[in-house]
Structure formats: structure tokens, C-alpha cells
Amino acid sequence: MRVYSSDQVHTSIDRAIWVSGIGEANLVRIPVAGRFRAMQTAALEAAIVTDRENGMLPAGIIASVGGTSTGGTDDVAAVGAVAKRHGLYLHVDAAWAGSAMICPEFRHFWAGAEHADSIVFNPHKWLGAQFDCSMQFVRQPEDLVRTLAIKPEFLRTHGRDGVINYSEWSVPLGRRFRALKLWFLLRAHGLENLRTMIRNHVAWSESLAARLAREPDFEIVTEPMLSLLSFRHLTAAGIDSDKHNLRLVSAINDDGRIYLTQTRVDGQVAIRFQVGQFETTAADVDTAFEVITEIARGLS
Ligand SMILES: Cc1ncc(COP(=O)(O)O)c(C=O)c1O
């Protein structure tokens, strides 16, 4: 059995593959291209066709919308068309970026998501919901019920009197009432205020990217995908860029005014910057600019 994704998906996909017992060799990584490191759909289709010819069983595709490293985003509509042509399940992982889809102007990032079989996003990541609160939308809950329902006599209530037994939709039987957090979030802040927060974060990240790009000793490695970008401090000849930028991340985090993490883009270290906290202000992002430039220039 084979599952297809780009190399931009979160490691939770690798873990799901381990747990499912499919075997990690059967998670097929499709090469990416373009600003958002999207799966190349021609390569995806070719891999599916070749696997079938070789007796494999293509089962599903995982599309990324806002990958953790640099916001890698697939063309969900194009990937969905491939899934449909080959009768494969399509899951969309929008764990982080999904929160931005409350703003109509950002929905182009997952155009075609309406054709997915399932979508996940985590309102605890960027919408301000208390940890933990992950949302999964499923097209056909019956698939889950067929796979997971265990019906001892004392639980034989599914479908009776219109009762939906969510315990039959997931591995754990018991669950907390997480939807209540969303209800309170919406009641407390209102949809428009949540949209304003997301829009501010995106605008502030874009302005930080523009400011860093104007500095001669910085380069933007990946342009903002919503509020996530990556950059690098340029080093003099003979100084190892990876070591220097790793030192810079450590120095920034030791300083304690802001916190950043690193990633690798095409094998080279880049520093990730993302605005995502409920309380962040434009002034905080100005501070971030000061901290980054000041500490970078102070590194010997
Ligand atoms: C893109 C992406 N997918 C999946 C996950 C994992 O989500 P969960 O904690 O719900 O397993 C994360 C981060 O935690 C993520 O950033």
C-alpha cells in the first residue's frame, strides 16, 4: 500500500505511517517546485501509475497547506484532481494555516479543499484556542465507523434515534468537549476580531520581511507564506553560514526578548520567523526587527 506526499509535510505524517503499519518505505515523497514548494502533480501522477504497474496499491495522498518548516503549500485542486482520477483518498493537513481560512482573502491557499476526504486544522495553533483543540473535517464518517466501531451490547446505539456516537469515529472512546472552547472563543472575541488578528499577523510578517530584505547583510530565504517566513544573516567569506545562523538563533533565544527556531531549506540553515500569538502587537514585531539585527551584528 502506498501513500504520497511532498517532503514538506509535518513529521506527524511519518508517525501516522509508522503507527498504521504500512511501513515508512511506502510513504512516497514527491518532489516539490515553486515559491510554496508544492508537490509536482505530474511527478505525483507518474509515481502512482508506476507503482500500480509494479503491483503496488496506491491508497492516499496527503496535501500540505502551510507546512511547518517554511509553509510549504500544495496546489490542493490539482492534487485533488489526481486523487479523483486514480480513486485515492485525499487528506489535507492545514494544522497551522487552516486558522487563516476564516479570512476569505486567504482561502485561495487551499482552493479545491472542498474535494478533500478529510482536512485537519488546529485552532490552538493560530486561532487562540486553549491547547489542545484540533479539528478534523471528514467527508464520509461511515469510513471511520466501518474501521473503528466496536459494538459491545452496551454501546449498540449508533444511528438509533438520531444519536451520533462519536466514540465510533476515533481510536479513543472517551473525549473532552473541545468544541466548547471554540464556542467560547467565538463568543468572547467574535469572528471579525479573530480575522483582524490573523490579518495583522500576516501584514506584520510581510513588513518584517520587507525590512529585513532592505538590510544588506540579511537575505530572505522563503518569502512569507501568511505569517511565516525564513531568513539568513549573511556572513563574510570564509565563515560557515550554517554555524553562524545557528549561533544567531541561540543568541536570540538566550537574549529572551523573542524566540525563533531554525530549519533547513535546500540543505542550508535558515531562521524561521512567525507571528502567531494572540497578544502580539505591531510594536513587538518592531522589537523583533531590532533584536534580530542588533544581535546578528554583535556576533563576532
Ligand atoms: C503542519 C502540521 N501538521 C501537523 C502537526 C501536528 O499536529 P497534531 O499535534 O495535531 O498531531 C503540526 C504541528 O504540531 C503541524 O504544524
Side-chain angles (χ1 to χ4, degrees):
M1 188 180 286
R2 299 220 122 173
V3 174
Y4 305 83
S5 78
S6 78
D7 59 0
Q8 299 297 305
V9 291
H10 188 261
T11 45
S12 55
I13 307 300
D14 300 67
R15 216 186 239 169
I17 295 286
W18 299 342
V19 172
S20 69
I22 294 172
E24 61 189 349
N26 290 314
L27 174 59
V28 181
R29 305 288 191 177
I30 304 299
V32 297
R35 171 172 168 190
F36 293 118
R37 295 173 179 263
M39 250 194 281
Q40 295 180 24
T41 35
L44 170 67
E45 187 140 29
I48 294 167
V49 169
T50 308
D51 280 350
R52 245 197 205 125
E53 283 167 5
N54 291 330
M56 309 280 190
L57 180 62
I61 306 173
I62 294 155
S64 172
V65 176
T68 313
S69 173
T70 60
T73 295
D74 293 318
D75 179 341
V76 178
V79 170
V82 174
K84 193 163 181 211
R85 259 199 303 285
H86 294 275
L88 305 191
Y89 189 98
L90 175 64
H91 174 69
V92 174
D93 181 0
W96 160 67
S99 293
M101 303 306 145
I102 63 169
C103 303
E105 71 272 30
F106 296 137
R107 288 192 193 141
H108 63 92
F109 280 116
W110 75 2
E114 63 276 17
H115 301 302
D117 294 290
S118 54
I119 302 177
V120 155
F121 89 86
N122 300 5
H124 68 238
K125 282 200 164 71
W126 194 9
L127 210 57
Q130 291 298 305
F131 189 79
D132 62 342
C133 183
S134 297
M135 288 168 57
Q136 185 185 14
F137 299 93
V138 287
R139 176 173 299 285
Q140 294 201 79
E142 309 83 55
D143 291 345
L144 295 175
V145 173
R146 263 206 325 277
T147 309
L148 297 166
I150 296 180
K151 292 187 183 166
E153 195 54 41
F154 50 84
L155 287 180
R156 282 183 192 271
T157 50
H158 183 77
R160 287 199 200 159
D161 305 325
V163 172
I164 296 177
N165 233 337
Y166 288 111
S167 67
E168 295 176 346
W169 292 31
S170 63
V171 176
L173 210 71
R175 63 174 71 216
R176 282 173 280 153
F177 187 5
R178 294 180 176 93
L180 190 61
K181 301 182 202 187
L182 283 177
W183 186 85
F184 271 113
L185 186 77
L186 283 164
R187 295 289 294 176
H189 300 282
L191 180 58
E192 278 312 313
N193 285 331
L194 293 172
R195 284 176 167 151
T196 301
M197 172 188 72
I198 299 266
R199 286 172 177 142
N200 282 340
H201 291 176
V202 173
W204 297 336
S205 285
E206 283 172 353
S207 79
L208 183 106
R211 285 179 78 182
L212 279 180
R214 283 197 294 273
E215 299 298 313
D217 53 340
F218 280 89
E219 71 171 339
I220 299 300
V221 179
T222 55
E223 295 289 336
M225 188 295 176
L226 296 167
S227 66
L228 172 63
L229 64 108
S230 68
F231 67 90
R232 209 173 272 142
H233 187 229
L234 299 173
T235 51
I239 296 181
D240 185 304
S241 167
D242 282 2
K243 279 191 189 146
H244 176 79
N245 280 283
L246 288 175
R247 276 182 67 216
L248 176 54
V249 175
S250 295
I252 289 170
N253 292 335
D254 288 346
D255 172 85
R257 279 175 288 171
I258 63 168
Y259 294 96
L260 301 181
T261 58
Q262 76 283 352
T263 187
R264 279 187 186 269
V265 179
D266 299 328
Q268 268 198 293
V269 169
I271 302 179
R272 299 168 69 252
F273 179 89
Q274 198 252 334
V275 185
Q277 301 304 314
F278 217 92
E279 310 293 339
T280 306
T281 62
D284 292 330
V285 182
D286 289 342
T287 303
F289 176 81
E290 303 300 333
V291 171
I292 292 166
T293 48
E294 170 200 311
I295 295 183
R297 287 164 190 165
L299 281 185
S300 52

